Amino acid sequence: MTTAQLRSEPMLTTPTRVLARTQETADTFTIEVEPPPGFSFRPGEFTMLYVYGVGEVPISISGDPDRTDTLTLTIRAVGKVTEAVGRLQPGDPLGVRGPYGVGWPMEAARGRDVVIVGGGIGLAPLRSAIYEILNHRADYGLVSIAVGFRRPEEILYVDQVHEWRQRFDIDLELTVDTAGDTWRGPVGVVTRLIPMLDFSDTAVAMVCGPEIMMMFTARALRDRGFAPDNIHVSLERNMKCGIGLCGHCQYGQHFVCMAGPVKPFSQAERLFGIREL
Amino acid sequence: MPTGDIERIDHPLLEGLSDTHMEMIASCAWGDRFETGEYLFRVGESATRAYLISAGRLALELDGGGRGVVQIATLRESDVAGFSWIFPPHRWKWDGRVVEPVEAIVLDGEALRTMKAADHDFGYELLLRFSAVIGSRLQAARMQLMDVYA
Ligand code: FES
């Protein structure tokens, strides 16, 4: 079944299995899943993962969109279903639906500078966008990435982040909220990195993390001259069906699963702080 | 140590100061460089200086006893280290340890205190600028307290 067919059969769960599992931090892990046949996705889209006998959970895709041999998902174990996913080992079965939603504005970003700001687990959905940019590097202008974590032990994709820092074609700044004296990098919240980023007035920003972090970041970007329409954030809502049927993710007249999760800050700002609508 | 050379004193904190006020700053300022591992100040010591950083990285940290040393902020190019010289009892509240060699304009806080008391226009300009530094540091500390990545 191709992605087009999967998209036309949106409630269909495809049985698949775990290929690999990596523990990223104390509570966060990455699984590689055998993708349903013909599966493809755009950066920022999400899937519904089904753990047999436990339940279903929406998870953003954190892998390389050009890779068709694996579907990569980074998950923080914070509830019954995500904890159950965390216990899965290579070879274990699970179900996948999707991909769903509106992802990062990769097309709109072509030819323009890109600013990517991630906080904590928020780096996961942004990683797909970073892969996409690096796979087609010449299509984008300056690329500045700022990421923040609570502590050095909580840095996600730590080897990859160090690898990206060595590259000459992107600029990556990393900060932690607090550290011991062996840490040699910056300490402070991620918004403190924003004054150091390079971009032109037509740049596109992609921001992901907890809502409060996105709100502060988007406002700091706006203070540096970003138009709110050029700042994109990824909204997290309680998603169930993923296809606009159940209403669990509704805000106003929109459903986050259909109109999001990625939205321009100009539309998302008023939703921050609204828990359920 | 003051160079009196206003051409060499260039830092965002001083942007927009009049020539007269720049000359007053220059009369008690000099450039210096500090190597990795050096402490610019230690908690509890008398605070008599401010550092307008132009390169490198300085960690603000505290030895938390059983918790070990905790870094709560790092300062870099364009940042300012030190406002304890303004307020009594003029003692440092944090250790300032050089993580990457720091180049800075050093201001003599005692001289500045005398000048701002004698010239309130100068004092106003100075306090306005240092208040902005304190405000942004407060905002950053609040965000850290809010644990924005949770
Ligand atoms: S998750 Fe059901 S309508 Fe969006």
mmCIF file of all heavy atoms in Angstrom, chain A residues 238-249 255 257, ligand 1:
data_model
loop_
_atom_site.group_PDB
_atom_site.id
_atom_site.type_symbol
_atom_site.label_atom_id
_atom_site.label_comp_id
_atom_site.label_asym_id
_atom_site.label_seq_id
_atom_site.Cartn_x
_atom_site.Cartn_y
_atom_site.Cartn_z
ATOM 1 N N ASN A 238 -4.443 16.979 22.267
ATOM 2 C CA ASN A 238 -4.824 15.620 22.584
ATOM 3 C C ASN A 238 -5.457 14.964 21.349
ATOM 4 O O ASN A 238 -6.645 15.103 21.114
ATOM 5 C CB ASN A 238 -5.809 15.699 23.751
ATOM 6 C CG ASN A 238 -6.234 14.343 24.215
ATOM 7 O OD1 ASN A 238 -5.608 13.338 23.865
ATOM 8 N ND2 ASN A 238 -7.296 14.307 24.986
ATOM 9 N N MET A 239 -4.656 14.276 20.544
ATOM 10 C CA MET A 239 -5.190 13.729 19.293
ATOM 11 C C MET A 239 -5.589 12.265 19.448
ATOM 12 O O MET A 239 -4.906 11.493 20.111
ATOM 13 C CB MET A 239 -4.169 13.915 18.189
ATOM 14 C CG MET A 239 -4.026 15.389 17.883
ATOM 15 S SD MET A 239 -3.163 15.793 16.428
ATOM 16 C CE MET A 239 -1.554 16.156 16.992
ATOM 17 N N LYS A 240 -6.694 11.936 18.811
ATOM 18 C CA LYS A 240 -7.195 10.552 18.903
ATOM 19 C C LYS A 240 -7.330 9.930 17.511
ATOM 20 O O LYS A 240 -6.713 8.933 17.213
ATOM 21 C CB LYS A 240 -8.571 10.522 19.592
ATOM 22 C CG LYS A 240 -8.517 10.867 21.060
ATOM 23 C CD LYS A 240 -8.078 9.683 21.904
ATOM 24 C CE LYS A 240 -8.137 10.017 23.377
ATOM 25 N NZ LYS A 240 -6.994 9.562 24.124
ATOM 26 N N CYS A 241 -8.192 10.554 16.665
ATOM 27 C CA CYS A 241 -8.423 9.926 15.358
ATOM 28 C C CYS A 241 -7.356 10.354 14.347
ATOM 29 O O CYS A 241 -6.973 9.586 13.485
ATOM 30 C CB CYS A 241 -9.826 10.255 14.841
ATOM 31 S SG CYS A 241 -10.029 11.980 14.360
ATOM 32 N N GLY A 242 -6.908 11.588 14.452
ATOM 33 C CA GLY A 242 -5.894 12.100 13.538
ATOM 34 C C GLY A 242 -6.444 12.570 12.212
ATOM 35 O O GLY A 242 -5.690 13.045 11.356
ATOM 36 N N ILE A 243 -7.756 12.473 12.016
ATOM 37 C CA ILE A 243 -8.304 12.808 10.687
ATOM 38 C C ILE A 243 -9.555 13.693 10.757
ATOM 39 O O ILE A 243 -10.378 13.687 9.858
ATOM 40 C CB ILE A 243 -8.635 11.525 9.892
ATOM 41 C CG1 ILE A 243 -9.575 10.629 10.696
ATOM 42 C CG2 ILE A 243 -7.367 10.796 9.491
ATOM 43 C CD1 ILE A 243 -10.196 9.525 9.870
ATOM 44 N N GLY A 244 -9.694 14.435 11.840
ATOM 45 C CA GLY A 244 -10.782 15.408 11.890
ATOM 46 C C GLY A 244 -12.159 14.837 12.175
ATOM 47 O O GLY A 244 -13.167 15.472 11.843
ATOM 48 N N LEU A 245 -12.228 13.675 12.782
ATOM 49 C CA LEU A 245 -13.534 13.067 13.050
ATOM 50 C C LEU A 245 -13.977 13.183 14.501
ATOM 51 O O LEU A 245 -15.137 13.426 14.785
ATOM 52 C CB LEU A 245 -13.502 11.566 12.680
ATOM 53 C CG LEU A 245 -13.436 11.225 11.202
ATOM 54 C CD1 LEU A 245 -13.382 9.708 11.032
ATOM 55 C CD2 LEU A 245 -14.639 11.793 10.458
ATOM 56 N N CYS A 246 -13.049 12.998 15.421
ATOM 57 C CA CYS A 246 -13.465 12.826 16.822
ATOM 58 C C CYS A 246 -13.603 14.137 17.580
ATOM 59 O O CYS A 246 -14.302 14.209 18.584
ATOM 60 C CB CYS A 246 -12.477 11.917 17.547
ATOM 61 S SG CYS A 246 -10.876 12.694 17.854
ATOM 62 N N GLY A 247 -12.922 15.166 17.144
ATOM 63 C CA GLY A 247 -13.022 16.464 17.805
ATOM 64 C C GLY A 247 -12.111 16.633 19.024
ATOM 65 O O GLY A 247 -12.111 17.688 19.641
ATOM 66 N N HIS A 248 -11.316 15.639 19.347
ATOM 67 C CA HIS A 248 -10.465 15.749 20.533
ATOM 68 C C HIS A 248 -9.449 16.889 20.430
ATOM 69 O O HIS A 248 -9.043 17.443 21.443
ATOM 70 C CB HIS A 248 -9.695 14.435 20.756
ATOM 71 C CG HIS A 248 -10.427 13.494 21.641
ATOM 72 N ND1 HIS A 248 -11.356 12.602 21.154
ATOM 73 C CD2 HIS A 248 -10.398 13.324 22.984
ATOM 74 C CE1 HIS A 248 -11.848 11.906 22.169
ATOM 75 N NE2 HIS A 248 -11.289 12.331 23.277
ATOM 76 N N CYS A 249 -9.017 17.190 19.232
ATOM 77 C CA CYS A 249 -7.942 18.178 19.068
ATOM 78 C C CYS A 249 -8.488 19.529 18.624
ATOM 79 O O CYS A 249 -7.735 20.358 18.154
ATOM 80 C CB CYS A 249 -6.957 17.679 18.020
ATOM 81 S SG CYS A 249 -7.707 17.611 16.388
ATOM 82 N N PHE A 255 -9.297 21.806 13.603
ATOM 83 C CA PHE A 255 -8.767 20.617 14.271
ATOM 84 C C PHE A 255 -7.252 20.624 14.075
ATOM 85 O O PHE A 255 -6.775 20.735 12.943
ATOM 86 C CB PHE A 255 -9.343 19.342 13.649
ATOM 87 C CG PHE A 255 -10.837 19.201 13.838
ATOM 88 C CD1 PHE A 255 -11.665 18.961 12.760
ATOM 89 C CD2 PHE A 255 -11.402 19.298 15.108
ATOM 90 C CE1 PHE A 255 -13.031 18.827 12.929
ATOM 91 C CE2 PHE A 255 -12.766 19.163 15.292
ATOM 92 C CZ PHE A 255 -13.592 18.930 14.197
ATOM 93 N N CYS A 257 -5.220 18.246 14.213
ATOM 94 C CA CYS A 257 -4.730 17.113 13.422
ATOM 95 C C CYS A 257 -4.821 17.381 11.918
ATOM 96 O O CYS A 257 -4.079 16.781 11.143
ATOM 97 C CB CYS A 257 -5.489 15.842 13.787
ATOM 98 S SG CYS A 257 -7.236 15.880 13.365
HETATM 99 S S1 FES C 1 -7.717 13.991 16.538
HETATM 100 FE FE1 FES C 1 -9.788 13.601 16.105
HETATM 101 S S2 FES C 1 -10.433 15.452 15.219
HETATM 102 FE FE2 FES C 1 -8.308 15.736 15.477
#
